[in-house]
Structure formats: C-alpha cells, structure tokens
Amino acid sequence: MTDTPADKHHQKVLIVDFGSQVTQLIARRVRESGVYCEIHPFDVVDDAFLARFGPAAVILSGGPSSVHEAESPQAAPALFEAGAPVLGICYGEQAMCQTLGGRVEPGFEREFGRADIHIERESPLFAGLGDVGAAEPVWMSHGDRVTAIPEGFEIIATSGGAPFAAIADEGRRFYGVQFHPEVAHTPRGALILRNFTHRISGLSGDWTMAAFREEQVRRIREQVGAGRVICGLSGGVDSSVAAVLIHEAIGDQLTCVFVDTGLLRAGEGDQVVGLFRNHYNIPLINVDAGEEFLGALAGVADPETKRKIIGRTFVEIFDREAAKIEGAAFLAQGTLYPDVIESVSARGGPSQVIKSHHNVGGLPEHMTLKLVEPLRELFKDEVRALGRELGLDPAFVGRHPFPGPGLAIRIPGEVTAEKVAVLQQADAIWLDEIRKAGLYDVIWQAFAVLLPVKTVGVMGDARTYENVCALRAVTSTDGMTADFFEFPWDVLGRAATRIVNEVRGVNRVVYDVTSKPPGTIEWE
C-alpha cells in the first residue's frame, strides 16, 4: 500500500496473510480496540518491506495449507528479527514454529469447531481470563499440529487435540495459538487480541474516526491541490461518505456524477439527488440512464454477462459525462479495505481500477484520471462510523448494503422494465414491514428477489398464473459470511400478504433460509 497519514502518525500492526478466509476478522478486532493495522500477503514481506512498514507488532494469520508440504507459504525469518512482538494464529503458529526450529506434523487427531483450552501457566496473553487450570472455550480449525516447540518457548495452554494449543516465548514476546481468537465462536478472543496489542506490544489505541477524518481531509488537500475531482455516486453508503468527506476537504472542486441506472430501489434516485444537491449543496450531475441500461440488457439472462454489461455501460456513461467537466484530473471512488484485500492475490499487488461493479466491462484506455480513494483503509462498519462523524443522517448511514448492479442480479433471467417495477414494489413493502417491526437495524441486509418461475394460484374467484417472489434477510458482522434471520411469523405473514395483494404480477411469496458461506455472492 502507499504511504498514508495513518502510516506516519499511528502505531501499526502488520497482519501477514497466509490465506485464511477470516483474516479480515483479525483486522476488524484489532481496529475495534483502536489500533491501526493492515493486511499484506506473506510473500511480499521481506527486510525492505518491514523497513518501510515499521510494524509495532505482527500477527500471522491462519491458512488452509500444511507448512510441512513443498510450496506451502512460509513465515519470513525477517519477521522474527524486526524486534516487534509476534502472534501466530493457527497456521501462523505452525509457520512460526517451522521457521524457528520447532516441528509440525500431520496425521494426528484433528480439531474443527468448539473446544476448550486449559490454561497451564500465567501469561499476559491470557490476562483477564481464568486462573491457571481454568478451561476457556475457543474455536479450533486445524488438521496438522505442533509436535515440538522452538527453543525458548513454553506451553501456556493445551487442549484435547493440541498439546501446544498456546505457546509463548515471553522474553522475545513471541506467541502462538492453535485456535482462532478473531471469530465470534471464541467468546473472549477479542480480549486475547487486545492483550497482545495493548498489554504485550504496548500500543495505546490512538486510532479514532475523528483522527481519521482529520488526516484524510489533509491528505485529500495535499493530493488534489487546486485540481478538480469527479466522484461517481452509486447511491450507496460508500460513495456517499467518500463524496461528503472530499467535499469537506476541497469544496466545489468536487463534482459528483450520479448515474441512475433505473435498477435502484424505489425512490432511491430522488433520495440521492435530494441529499447531495439540496442538503449538502454539492455540485451534482444527475443522469437518468434507465432506458439505456435496460436496452443494453435486453435478451440477456446470464448473470455474469449482465454484470459486465452494467459495468461497461456505467463506465461509458460516466466517461461521457466526465468529459464535459473542464479541468477534471482526479477520479474519486468509495473503495473499501475489503476491496483492496480481495484485489491482492498471493502473487500480486493492489489493483488500481474502479470497483468491480463499475468496471467489470473494462475502463476506457484513454481515461487517465488519478484516483482519490479516501476510504480504502476502512471496513464497512468503519465507513458507517465515519459517516456519523461527518454528520450524515443516521438512517442513510445505516442503510443495508446494495450491490452495484442493483436489482438486475435480483431478477434471475432477462431484465425488463416490467420486472424491475414489480420487484421495486415488492422490495419496498418488504423493507417497510421490517422497519415497522423495528427490525431494520438488527438485520444486516434484506431484499426481495423476483424468481424466474410462475405458479398457479387462486385470488378471489379467479385463477392466476403469476411470479414467485422470494424474501431474504440475513445477519452478518463482516459481510463475508451471513446467516438467515429468524423472522417472527407474524411479520413474514404481513409482508407476504401485502405483496400478494398490492403487487400486481406476484401471487406467491417464499422466505429464503439459506446461509451465505465464505466466498459466495448474492442472489443471481
């Protein structure tokens, strides 16, 4: 990553990523305790990298590999020579042991799921937990296990399947745990991580959203100077918070371009225009492009093709409007930290392109604008916190995530104006009933899907042959995984009844109770 104000003014934790699906959770937990951190792939970490980054502490993530196998990711020896405390988590513990002279072997009893560790000796890593001999519930996920620890280490906790469930070299401040303290299934895992960052590493927790706001305003001014910035508004929280922050920094040097794809939720286009043009008085170009998008999508059913068409059409329209803004030199976008992480492969670096839902069709080669990405260090919940810090309406900041392709991916099959209108009505009723029940802020995301099937039904004295509408609502803390929300039947009943009665074209409603495992995407 590039040098940022956070690099200069805050103590930093380096999280070395070995490919775990929950590495982002480590960063979230660390930041929740007020400590700035960044995730970087294991194979970019060398002496030069560590000299530039200057970590105050290092955390080695978990991962799916086996350290004893050829070509498996390894922990660079430089990590243990930098003088910073190191915590290895699961695979990270095994990689640390492998590098420092311990031994890791396969073929033992595996541990996946809930387990108890037993504290064998006092350690600052377990401060605030039970006394020696106490049991502590944790979440295990390993097939290999450490069978010999490096010289200088001691066992500080054991479990039924891991005699080295937690180890420590207190003198060098090196620690390893075979379990995952970052996940919710380890109830006091956040305390363990805080013990490492604050008690062991001596970090003060000086990273706040107010400080971030000040730093980013200064950074934007330094980067942009007297130049002009274009911001592509999608109507979502990310681009909106980015626009308000940039406007605070440079005022009317910012012009927002809102491309209304015609695939937004009911009334959202008017809300965006009202917020930016009337409330914040930010220069705004509003492009009603619904017919253009629907024309481009005509006859297309494949979901990935639809995404590419929407991305390409968005870029073409945005580029067309941006060309009308004299002197524009910078392009602002609401890139978030998960976007940055996901664009970094084990062998590559951060991608310097517009987010996938805008540019999957490819950026025009002639577009040479420099990027302004003030949110690229933040997770979604941190963006919401920044929005509140900037004074945005809490109802707007707390809006459920909405995908860039909009309702097009919630209409499997061909997208038509009629289907969009039906789905907008059904979706609006669903969210209205959720809000009336006081459940909107409890749910991470809720939406309706217009299924590509029809059923025969009886409404009054007539038979109907109409669409099936699926309702979905999930809980999540990170957007990486999700579980269905257990709705009260009366709320579901009211929503279903209203949709069937009020939305012409729907005669049956179903509720989706599937979970969203890591790595999957929304309805398509």
Side-chain angles (χ1 to χ4, degrees), residues 366-385:
H366 64 273
M367 185 178 280
T368 59
L369 300 174
K370 299 175 183 177
L371 290 180
V372 180
E373 300 174 304
L375 310 182
R376 64 180 286 118
E377 300 166 12
L378 302 184
F379 289 100
K380 188 75 174 186
D381 58 330
E382 294 169 331
V383 173
R384 297 188 193 282

mmCIF file with all atom_site columns, all heavy atoms in Angstrom, residues 366-385:
data_model
loop_
_atom_site.group_PDB
_atom_site.id
_atom_site.type_symbol
_atom_site.label_atom_id
_atom_site.label_alt_id
_atom_site.label_comp_id
_atom_site.label_asym_id
_atom_site.label_entity_id
_atom_site.label_seq_id
_atom_site.pdbx_PDB_ins_code
_atom_site.Cartn_x
_atom_site.Cartn_y
_atom_site.Cartn_z
_atom_site.occupancy
_atom_site.B_iso_or_equiv
_atom_site.pdbx_formal_charge
_atom_site.auth_seq_id
_atom_site.auth_comp_id
_atom_site.auth_asym_id
_atom_site.auth_atom_id
_atom_site.pdbx_PDB_model_num
ATOM 1   N N   . HIS A 1 366 ? -8.301  5.552  -22.589 1.00 0.00 ? 366 HIS A N   1
ATOM 2   C CA  . HIS A 1 366 ? -7.959  6.967  -22.583 1.00 0.00 ? 366 HIS A CA  1
ATOM 3   C C   . HIS A 1 366 ? -8.260  7.642  -21.249 1.00 0.00 ? 366 HIS A C   1
ATOM 4   O O   . HIS A 1 366 ? -7.896  8.803  -21.061 1.00 0.00 ? 366 HIS A O   1
ATOM 5   C CB  . HIS A 1 366 ? -8.717  7.704  -23.698 1.00 0.00 ? 366 HIS A CB  1
ATOM 6   C CG  . HIS A 1 366 ? -10.202 7.684  -23.508 1.00 0.00 ? 366 HIS A CG  1
ATOM 7   N ND1 . HIS A 1 366 ? -11.009 6.672  -23.966 1.00 0.00 ? 366 HIS A ND1 1
ATOM 8   C CD2 . HIS A 1 366 ? -11.031 8.561  -22.886 1.00 0.00 ? 366 HIS A CD2 1
ATOM 9   C CE1 . HIS A 1 366 ? -12.271 6.915  -23.661 1.00 0.00 ? 366 HIS A CE1 1
ATOM 10  N NE2 . HIS A 1 366 ? -12.306 8.058  -23.003 1.00 0.00 ? 366 HIS A NE2 1
ATOM 11  N N   . MET A 1 367 ? -8.907  6.932  -20.324 1.00 0.00 ? 367 MET A N   1
ATOM 12  C CA  . MET A 1 367 ? -9.217  7.550  -19.036 1.00 0.00 ? 367 MET A CA  1
ATOM 13  C C   . MET A 1 367 ? -7.953  7.563  -18.178 1.00 0.00 ? 367 MET A C   1
ATOM 14  O O   . MET A 1 367 ? -7.492  6.537  -17.698 1.00 0.00 ? 367 MET A O   1
ATOM 15  C CB  . MET A 1 367 ? -10.339 6.797  -18.320 1.00 0.00 ? 367 MET A CB  1
ATOM 16  C CG  . MET A 1 367 ? -10.777 7.490  -17.022 1.00 0.00 ? 367 MET A CG  1
ATOM 17  S SD  . MET A 1 367 ? -12.146 6.644  -16.164 1.00 0.00 ? 367 MET A SD  1
ATOM 18  C CE  . MET A 1 367 ? -13.536 7.212  -17.114 1.00 0.00 ? 367 MET A CE  1
ATOM 19  N N   . THR A 1 368 ? -7.386  8.743  -17.996 1.00 0.00 ? 368 THR A N   1
ATOM 20  C CA  . THR A 1 368 ? -6.099  8.879  -17.302 1.00 0.00 ? 368 THR A CA  1
ATOM 21  C C   . THR A 1 368 ? -6.243  9.603  -15.970 1.00 0.00 ? 368 THR A C   1
ATOM 22  O O   . THR A 1 368 ? -5.264  10.111 -15.433 1.00 0.00 ? 368 THR A O   1
ATOM 23  C CB  . THR A 1 368 ? -5.111  9.631  -18.200 1.00 0.00 ? 368 THR A CB  1
ATOM 24  O OG1 . THR A 1 368 ? -5.645  10.925 -18.518 1.00 0.00 ? 368 THR A OG1 1
ATOM 25  C CG2 . THR A 1 368 ? -4.828  8.859  -19.477 1.00 0.00 ? 368 THR A CG2 1
ATOM 26  N N   . LEU A 1 369 ? -7.434  9.679  -15.427 1.00 0.00 ? 369 LEU A N   1
ATOM 27  C CA  . LEU A 1 369 ? -7.633  10.367 -14.161 1.00 0.00 ? 369 LEU A CA  1
ATOM 28  C C   . LEU A 1 369 ? -6.905  9.645  -13.035 1.00 0.00 ? 369 LEU A C   1
ATOM 29  O O   . LEU A 1 369 ? -6.834  8.422  -12.994 1.00 0.00 ? 369 LEU A O   1
ATOM 30  C CB  . LEU A 1 369 ? -9.133  10.442 -13.840 1.00 0.00 ? 369 LEU A CB  1
ATOM 31  C CG  . LEU A 1 369 ? -10.016 11.173 -14.853 1.00 0.00 ? 369 LEU A CG  1
ATOM 32  C CD1 . LEU A 1 369 ? -11.474 11.040 -14.462 1.00 0.00 ? 369 LEU A CD1 1
ATOM 33  C CD2 . LEU A 1 369 ? -9.616  12.630 -14.950 1.00 0.00 ? 369 LEU A CD2 1
ATOM 34  N N   . LYS A 1 370 ? -6.377  10.413 -12.105 1.00 0.00 ? 370 LYS A N   1
ATOM 35  C CA  . LYS A 1 370 ? -5.721  9.852  -10.928 1.00 0.00 ? 370 LYS A CA  1
ATOM 36  C C   . LYS A 1 370 ? -6.780  9.544  -9.872  1.00 0.00 ? 370 LYS A C   1
ATOM 37  O O   . LYS A 1 370 ? -7.747  10.291 -9.709  1.00 0.00 ? 370 LYS A O   1
ATOM 38  C CB  . LYS A 1 370 ? -4.695  10.842 -10.377 1.00 0.00 ? 370 LYS A CB  1
ATOM 39  C CG  . LYS A 1 370 ? -3.591  11.185 -11.370 1.00 0.00 ? 370 LYS A CG  1
ATOM 40  C CD  . LYS A 1 370 ? -2.679  12.259 -10.809 1.00 0.00 ? 370 LYS A CD  1
ATOM 41  C CE  . LYS A 1 370 ? -1.623  12.666 -11.830 1.00 0.00 ? 370 LYS A CE  1
ATOM 42  N NZ  . LYS A 1 370 ? -0.763  13.764 -11.308 1.00 0.00 ? 370 LYS A NZ  1
ATOM 43  N N   . LEU A 1 371 ? -6.581  8.460  -9.140  1.00 0.00 ? 371 LEU A N   1
ATOM 44  C CA  . LEU A 1 371 ? -7.585  8.025  -8.175  1.00 0.00 ? 371 LEU A CA  1
ATOM 45  C C   . LEU A 1 371 ? -7.454  8.728  -6.831  1.00 0.00 ? 371 LEU A C   1
ATOM 46  O O   . LEU A 1 371 ? -6.357  8.927  -6.315  1.00 0.00 ? 371 LEU A O   1
ATOM 47  C CB  . LEU A 1 371 ? -7.475  6.518  -7.944  1.00 0.00 ? 371 LEU A CB  1
ATOM 48  C CG  . LEU A 1 371 ? -7.911  5.622  -9.100  1.00 0.00 ? 371 LEU A CG  1
ATOM 49  C CD1 . LEU A 1 371 ? -7.731  4.163  -8.721  1.00 0.00 ? 371 LEU A CD1 1
ATOM 50  C CD2 . LEU A 1 371 ? -9.357  5.897  -9.481  1.00 0.00 ? 371 LEU A CD2 1
ATOM 51  N N   . VAL A 1 372 ? -8.606  9.082  -6.286  1.00 0.00 ? 372 VAL A N   1
ATOM 52  C CA  . VAL A 1 372 ? -8.714  9.559  -4.900  1.00 0.00 ? 372 VAL A CA  1
ATOM 53  C C   . VAL A 1 372 ? -9.607  8.562  -4.176  1.00 0.00 ? 372 VAL A C   1
ATOM 54  O O   . VAL A 1 372 ? -10.790 8.438  -4.492  1.00 0.00 ? 372 VAL A O   1
ATOM 55  C CB  . VAL A 1 372 ? -9.330  10.974 -4.830  1.00 0.00 ? 372 VAL A CB  1
ATOM 56  C CG1 . VAL A 1 372 ? -9.434  11.431 -3.374  1.00 0.00 ? 372 VAL A CG1 1
ATOM 57  C CG2 . VAL A 1 372 ? -8.499  11.959 -5.640  1.00 0.00 ? 372 VAL A CG2 1
ATOM 58  N N   . GLU A 1 373 ? -9.052  7.843  -3.218  1.00 0.00 ? 373 GLU A N   1
ATOM 59  C CA  . GLU A 1 373 ? -9.773  6.772  -2.534  1.00 0.00 ? 373 GLU A CA  1
ATOM 60  C C   . GLU A 1 373 ? -9.640  6.937  -1.016  1.00 0.00 ? 373 GLU A C   1
ATOM 61  O O   . GLU A 1 373 ? -8.878  6.228  -0.355  1.00 0.00 ? 373 GLU A O   1
ATOM 62  C CB  . GLU A 1 373 ? -9.232  5.410  -2.958  1.00 0.00 ? 373 GLU A CB  1
ATOM 63  C CG  . GLU A 1 373 ? -9.371  5.144  -4.446  1.00 0.00 ? 373 GLU A CG  1
ATOM 64  C CD  . GLU A 1 373 ? -8.696  3.855  -4.867  1.00 0.00 ? 373 GLU A CD  1
ATOM 65  O OE1 . GLU A 1 373 ? -7.486  3.712  -4.610  1.00 0.00 ? 373 GLU A OE1 1
ATOM 66  O OE2 . GLU A 1 373 ? -9.376  2.988  -5.434  1.00 0.00 ? 373 GLU A OE2 1
ATOM 67  N N   . PRO A 1 374 ? -10.374 7.864  -0.447  1.00 0.00 ? 374 PRO A N   1
ATOM 68  C CA  . PRO A 1 374 ? -10.173 8.173  0.983   1.00 0.00 ? 374 PRO A CA  1
ATOM 69  C C   . PRO A 1 374 ? -10.648 7.092  1.937   1.00 0.00 ? 374 PRO A C   1
ATOM 70  O O   . PRO A 1 374 ? -10.324 7.145  3.129   1.00 0.00 ? 374 PRO A O   1
ATOM 71  C CB  . PRO A 1 374 ? -10.994 9.460  1.162   1.00 0.00 ? 374 PRO A CB  1
ATOM 72  C CG  . PRO A 1 374 ? -12.050 9.377  0.116   1.00 0.00 ? 374 PRO A CG  1
ATOM 73  C CD  . PRO A 1 374 ? -11.391 8.725  -1.067  1.00 0.00 ? 374 PRO A CD  1
ATOM 74  N N   . LEU A 1 375 ? -11.416 6.111  1.452   1.00 0.00 ? 375 LEU A N   1
ATOM 75  C CA  . LEU A 1 375 ? -11.956 5.080  2.343   1.00 0.00 ? 375 LEU A CA  1
ATOM 76  C C   . LEU A 1 375 ? -11.226 3.750  2.208   1.00 0.00 ? 375 LEU A C   1
ATOM 77  O O   . LEU A 1 375 ? -11.638 2.766  2.813   1.00 0.00 ? 375 LEU A O   1
ATOM 78  C CB  . LEU A 1 375 ? -13.453 4.858  2.060   1.00 0.00 ? 375 LEU A CB  1
ATOM 79  C CG  . LEU A 1 375 ? -14.337 6.095  2.009   1.00 0.00 ? 375 LEU A CG  1
ATOM 80  C CD1 . LEU A 1 375 ? -15.783 5.684  1.781   1.00 0.00 ? 375 LEU A CD1 1
ATOM 81  C CD2 . LEU A 1 375 ? -14.200 6.923  3.268   1.00 0.00 ? 375 LEU A CD2 1
ATOM 82  N N   . ARG A 1 376 ? -10.148 3.688  1.450   1.00 0.00 ? 376 ARG A N   1
ATOM 83  C CA  . ARG A 1 376 ? -9.526  2.410  1.137   1.00 0.00 ? 376 ARG A CA  1
ATOM 84  C C   . ARG A 1 376 ? -8.883  1.746  2.353   1.00 0.00 ? 376 ARG A C   1
ATOM 85  O O   . ARG A 1 376 ? -8.433  0.608  2.271   1.00 0.00 ? 376 ARG A O   1
ATOM 86  C CB  . ARG A 1 376 ? -8.512  2.551  0.009   1.00 0.00 ? 376 ARG A CB  1
ATOM 87  C CG  . ARG A 1 376 ? -7.336  3.422  0.306   1.00 0.00 ? 376 ARG A CG  1
ATOM 88  C CD  . ARG A 1 376 ? -6.388  3.488  -0.905  1.00 0.00 ? 376 ARG A CD  1
ATOM 89  N NE  . ARG A 1 376 ? -5.633  2.261  -1.084  1.00 0.00 ? 376 ARG A NE  1
ATOM 90  C CZ  . ARG A 1 376 ? -5.701  1.481  -2.157  1.00 0.00 ? 376 ARG A CZ  1
ATOM 91  N NH1 . ARG A 1 376 ? -6.515  1.786  -3.154  1.00 0.00 ? 376 ARG A NH1 1
ATOM 92  N NH2 . ARG A 1 376 ? -4.965  0.396  -2.252  1.00 0.00 ? 376 ARG A NH2 1
ATOM 93  N N   . GLU A 1 377 ? -8.821  2.428  3.488   1.00 0.00 ? 377 GLU A N   1
ATOM 94  C CA  . GLU A 1 377 ? -8.290  1.829  4.709   1.00 0.00 ? 377 GLU A CA  1
ATOM 95  C C   . GLU A 1 377 ? -9.394  1.322  5.634   1.00 0.00 ? 377 GLU A C   1
ATOM 96  O O   . GLU A 1 377 ? -9.100  0.785  6.704   1.00 0.00 ? 377 GLU A O   1
ATOM 97  C CB  . GLU A 1 377 ? -7.432  2.852  5.467   1.00 0.00 ? 377 GLU A CB  1
ATOM 98  C CG  . GLU A 1 377 ? -6.234  3.361  4.680   1.00 0.00 ? 377 GLU A CG  1
ATOM 99  C CD  . GLU A 1 377 ? -5.625  4.593  5.307   1.00 0.00 ? 377 GLU A CD  1
ATOM 100 O OE1 . GLU A 1 377 ? -5.990  4.903  6.456   1.00 0.00 ? 377 GLU A OE1 1
ATOM 101 O OE2 . GLU A 1 377 ? -4.791  5.252  4.664   1.00 0.00 ? 377 GLU A OE2 1
ATOM 102 N N   . LEU A 1 378 ? -10.670 1.487  5.239   1.00 0.00 ? 378 LEU A N   1
ATOM 103 C CA  . LEU A 1 378 ? -11.776 1.243  6.160   1.00 0.00 ? 378 LEU A CA  1
ATOM 104 C C   . LEU A 1 378 ? -12.589 0.011  5.799   1.00 0.00 ? 378 LEU A C   1
ATOM 105 O O   . LEU A 1 378 ? -12.780 -0.313 4.630   1.00 0.00 ? 378 LEU A O   1
ATOM 106 C CB  . LEU A 1 378 ? -12.719 2.453  6.195   1.00 0.00 ? 378 LEU A CB  1
ATOM 107 C CG  . LEU A 1 378 ? -12.126 3.793  6.596   1.00 0.00 ? 378 LEU A CG  1
ATOM 108 C CD1 . LEU A 1 378 ? -13.234 4.840  6.658   1.00 0.00 ? 378 LEU A CD1 1
ATOM 109 C CD2 . LEU A 1 378 ? -11.392 3.715  7.922   1.00 0.00 ? 378 LEU A CD2 1
ATOM 110 N N   . PHE A 1 379 ? -13.112 -0.644 6.832   1.00 0.00 ? 379 PHE A N   1
ATOM 111 C CA  . PHE A 1 379 ? -14.122 -1.673 6.668   1.00 0.00 ? 379 PHE A CA  1
ATOM 112 C C   . PHE A 1 379 ? -15.500 -1.005 6.640   1.00 0.00 ? 379 PHE A C   1
ATOM 113 O O   . PHE A 1 379 ? -15.643 0.170  6.966   1.00 0.00 ? 379 PHE A O   1
ATOM 114 C CB  . PHE A 1 379 ? -14.057 -2.687 7.810   1.00 0.00 ? 379 PHE A CB  1
ATOM 115 C CG  . PHE A 1 379 ? -12.856 -3.583 7.769   1.00 0.00 ? 379 PHE A CG  1
ATOM 116 C CD1 . PHE A 1 379 ? -11.751 -3.339 8.565   1.00 0.00 ? 379 PHE A CD1 1
ATOM 117 C CD2 . PHE A 1 379 ? -12.824 -4.679 6.920   1.00 0.00 ? 379 PHE A CD2 1
ATOM 118 C CE1 . PHE A 1 379 ? -10.641 -4.159 8.523   1.00 0.00 ? 379 PHE A CE1 1
ATOM 119 C CE2 . PHE A 1 379 ? -11.723 -5.505 6.870   1.00 0.00 ? 379 PHE A CE2 1
ATOM 120 C CZ  . PHE A 1 379 ? -10.621 -5.249 7.673   1.00 0.00 ? 379 PHE A CZ  1
ATOM 121 N N   . LYS A 1 380 ? -16.520 -1.794 6.277   1.00 0.00 ? 380 LYS A N   1
ATOM 122 C CA  . LYS A 1 380 ? -17.858 -1.237 6.098   1.00 0.00 ? 380 LYS A CA  1
ATOM 123 C C   . LYS A 1 380 ? -18.374 -0.565 7.366   1.00 0.00 ? 380 LYS A C   1
ATOM 124 O O   . LYS A 1 380 ? -18.932 0.542  7.314   1.00 0.00 ? 380 LYS A O   1
ATOM 125 C CB  . LYS A 1 380 ? -18.830 -2.348 5.680   1.00 0.00 ? 380 LYS A CB  1
ATOM 126 C CG  . LYS A 1 380 ? -20.207 -1.850 5.275   1.00 0.00 ? 380 LYS A CG  1
ATOM 127 C CD  . LYS A 1 380 ? -20.160 -1.223 3.896   1.00 0.00 ? 380 LYS A CD  1
ATOM 128 C CE  . LYS A 1 380 ? -21.537 -0.857 3.391   1.00 0.00 ? 380 LYS A CE  1
ATOM 129 N NZ  . LYS A 1 380 ? -21.526 -0.388 2.007   1.00 0.00 ? 380 LYS A NZ  1
ATOM 130 N N   . ASP A 1 381 ? -18.195 -1.212 8.514   1.00 0.00 ? 381 ASP A N   1
ATOM 131 C CA  . ASP A 1 381 ? -18.707 -0.612 9.745   1.00 0.00 ? 381 ASP A CA  1
ATOM 132 C C   . ASP A 1 381 ? -17.956 0.667  10.082  1.00 0.00 ? 381 ASP A C   1
ATOM 133 O O   . ASP A 1 381 ? -18.517 1.600  10.673  1.00 0.00 ? 381 ASP A O   1
ATOM 134 C CB  . ASP A 1 381 ? -18.637 -1.608 10.902  1.00 0.00 ? 381 ASP A CB  1
ATOM 135 C CG  . ASP A 1 381 ? -17.235 -2.122 11.149  1.00 0.00 ? 381 ASP A CG  1
ATOM 136 O OD1 . ASP A 1 381 ? -16.436 -2.210 10.199  1.00 0.00 ? 381 ASP A OD1 1
ATOM 137 O OD2 . ASP A 1 381 ? -16.932 -2.462 12.313  1.00 0.00 ? 381 ASP A OD2 1
ATOM 138 N N   . GLU A 1 382 ? -16.682 0.746  9.680   1.00 0.00 ? 382 GLU A N   1
ATOM 139 C CA  . GLU A 1 382 ? -15.911 1.964  9.918   1.00 0.00 ? 382 GLU A CA  1
ATOM 140 C C   . GLU A 1 382 ? -16.374 3.090  8.997   1.00 0.00 ? 382 GLU A C   1
ATOM 141 O O   . GLU A 1 382 ? -16.355 4.268  9.392   1.00 0.00 ? 382 GLU A O   1
ATOM 142 C CB  . GLU A 1 382 ? -14.423 1.674  9.716   1.00 0.00 ? 382 GLU A CB  1
ATOM 143 C CG  . GLU A 1 382 ? -13.857 0.719  10.753  1.00 0.00 ? 382 GLU A CG  1
ATOM 144 C CD  . GLU A 1 382 ? -12.469 0.231  10.421  1.00 0.00 ? 382 GLU A CD  1
ATOM 145 O OE1 . GLU A 1 382 ? -12.107 0.140  9.232   1.00 0.00 ? 382 GLU A OE1 1
ATOM 146 O OE2 . GLU A 1 382 ? -11.717 -0.083 11.366  1.00 0.00 ? 382 GLU A OE2 1
ATOM 147 N N   . VAL A 1 383 ? -16.799 2.755  7.792   1.00 0.00 ? 383 VAL A N   1
ATOM 148 C CA  . VAL A 1 383 ? -17.353 3.763  6.890   1.00 0.00 ? 383 VAL A CA  1
ATOM 149 C C   . VAL A 1 383 ? -18.622 4.352  7.497   1.00 0.00 ? 383 VAL A C   1
ATOM 150 O O   . VAL A 1 383 ? -18.854 5.561  7.451   1.00 0.00 ? 383 VAL A O   1
ATOM 151 C CB  . VAL A 1 383 ? -17.650 3.159  5.505   1.00 0.00 ? 383 VAL A CB  1
ATOM 152 C CG1 . VAL A 1 383 ? -18.382 4.168  4.623   1.00 0.00 ? 383 VAL A CG1 1
ATOM 153 C CG2 . VAL A 1 383 ? -16.365 2.721  4.825   1.00 0.00 ? 383 VAL A CG2 1
ATOM 154 N N   . ARG A 1 384 ? -19.444 3.491  8.071   1.00 0.00 ? 384 ARG A N   1
ATOM 155 C CA  . ARG A 1 384 ? -20.656 3.989  8.726   1.00 0.00 ? 384 ARG A CA  1
ATOM 156 C C   . ARG A 1 384 ? -20.295 4.918  9.890   1.00 0.00 ? 384 ARG A C   1
ATOM 157 O O   . ARG A 1 384 ? -20.930 5.959  10.092  1.00 0.00 ? 384 ARG A O   1
ATOM 158 C CB  . ARG A 1 384 ? -21.500 2.817  9.221   1.00 0.00 ? 384 ARG A CB  1
ATOM 159 C CG  . ARG A 1 384 ? -22.007 1.905  8.099   1.00 0.00 ? 384 ARG A CG  1
ATOM 160 C CD  . ARG A 1 384 ? -22.989 0.888  8.664   1.00 0.00 ? 384 ARG A CD  1
ATOM 161 N NE  . ARG A 1 384 ? -23.282 -0.182 7.724   1.00 0.00 ? 384 ARG A NE  1
ATOM 162 C CZ  . ARG A 1 384 ? -24.110 -0.096 6.693   1.00 0.00 ? 384 ARG A CZ  1
ATOM 163 N NH1 . ARG A 1 384 ? -24.726 1.047  6.462   1.00 0.00 ? 384 ARG A NH1 1
ATOM 164 N NH2 . ARG A 1 384 ? -24.320 -1.126 5.892   1.00 0.00 ? 384 ARG A NH2 1
ATOM 165 N N   . ALA A 1 385 ? -19.280 4.535  10.656  1.00 0.00 ? 385 ALA A N   1
ATOM 166 C CA  . ALA A 1 385 ? -18.843 5.382  11.770  1.00 0.00 ? 385 ALA A CA  1
ATOM 167 C C   . ALA A 1 385 ? -18.330 6.723  11.254  1.00 0.00 ? 385 ALA A C   1
ATOM 168 O O   . ALA A 1 385 ? -18.594 7.769  11.854  1.00 0.00 ? 385 ALA A O   1
ATOM 169 C CB  . ALA A 1 385 ? -17.763 4.667  12.577  1.00 0.00 ? 385 ALA A CB  1
#
